[in-house]
Each structure stands twice: as structure tokens, then as C-alpha cells.
Amino acid sequence: MKSTIISFSIFVLMLFCIIFSINYLNTICTKLQDSNIKVEKSIQSSSWKEAYENSQNFMEEWEKYYPKLSIFSDHNEIEDISNESQKLLQHIKHKNSEESLSSANVIQNSLKHIREMQQLNIQNLF
């Protein structure tokens, strides 16, 4: 009986931790996606100074959340976002709108993929 109670308690604790981590991951990804959308909109409006500032803000947020995201998700996705954000900053600096929008889109898709991979569903369990 005692082992059943302990096992059940550990199971419930684990469920709470999983739910908390998924919610936290969704919050982080949403903040980063919103920041990336600001960069994308400023690129589309050819406001390069604003795009550069928004890109730097994205980089600061990314550096802040990078260690926490690496706990929850695939390191390849994390590396892709890091590399593309560096490329994005350089493309904005050289006012290359096509490449800037492409890098912003890759970042957006990678963040979306991280969120999708961490959802609780049958596909991710098996």
C-alpha cells in the first residue's frame, strides 16, 4: 500500500512538472515569435534602423531564453535559430530585404516547430 501511494504521488508530481514545462515553453516561444514578427514587419516596411533595433532585441531575448529552451528541445533546432538570428542581423545591417525576410521566416518556422514538438499528443508520445 505504501509503495502504491508513493508511486501515485510521483506520477502526479511528474504530470505537474510536464504541464508546467510545456506551458513555460509555449510562453517563451510566443514571446520570441512576437519579437520576430516585429522584425519581419519592420523589414517589410523598409525601416532598416527599426529592423536592426528589433533584431537586437530579439537577440537579447534569445540569449536570455536560450539555456532554458535547450533543456526542453532538440539542439539542432536551437542551433538553427542561433545561426539564422546571426545571419538576420547581418542581412539587416546590409539592407538585404530578401535574405532578411528569409532568415526571419526560418526563425519563425523553427520556433513553431519547437512548440509543435512539445505538445502533448499521441504522435509525440510514440
Side-chain angles (χ1 to χ4, degrees):
M1 180 68 181
K2 190 176 184 179
S3 66
T4 305
I5 293 172
I6 291 172
S7 297
F8 183 73
S9 299
I10 290 172
F11 176 73
V12 170
L13 178 66
M14 196 170 79
L15 278 177
F16 282 127
C17 290
I18 289 170
I19 290 169
F20 172 77
S21 66
I22 289 172
N23 286 337
Y24 185 69
L25 180 75
N26 283 335
T27 302
I28 289 174
C29 285
T30 301
K31 285 180 183 180
L32 290 170
Q33 283 179 321
D34 291 344
S35 181
N36 190 46
I37 287 171
K38 287 180 186 176
V39 173
E40 193 172 350
K41 286 182 180 179
S42 56
I43 292 169
Q44 288 172 345
S45 66
S46 296
S47 177
W48 295 106
K49 183 176 179 181
E50 182 182 343
Y52 188 76
E53 290 171 2
N54 288 336
S55 180
Q56 286 182 325
N57 290 339
F58 176 82
M59 289 293 291
E60 289 172 7
E61 286 184 27
W62 176 249
E63 292 297 323
K64 178 179 163 184
Y65 294 124
Y66 171 81
K68 296 170 188 167
L69 277 176
S70 64
I71 294 170
F72 299 115
S73 58
D74 184 26
H75 292 284
N76 291 334
E77 294 281 341
I78 302 297
E79 279 299 313
D80 288 345
I81 294 173
S82 293
N83 292 337
E84 285 299 323
S85 60
Q86 291 294 329
K87 288 180 190 178
L88 176 63
L89 199 59
Q90 292 303 313
H91 292 309
I92 290 173
K93 191 184 288 185
H94 295 290
K95 299 179 181 178
N96 187 340
S97 63
E98 292 174 1
E99 293 294 330
S100 299
L101 288 172
S102 175
S103 290
N105 192 22
V106 168
I107 292 170
Q108 195 74 11
N109 287 336
S110 295
L111 288 169
K112 181 181 174 187
H113 188 254
I114 288 173
R115 287 180 71 181
E116 288 173 354
M117 293 304 295
Q118 299 303 322
Q119 289 178 349
L120 286 176
N121 58 27
I122 299 295
Q123 290 176 332
N124 291 341
L125 293 177
F126 297 108

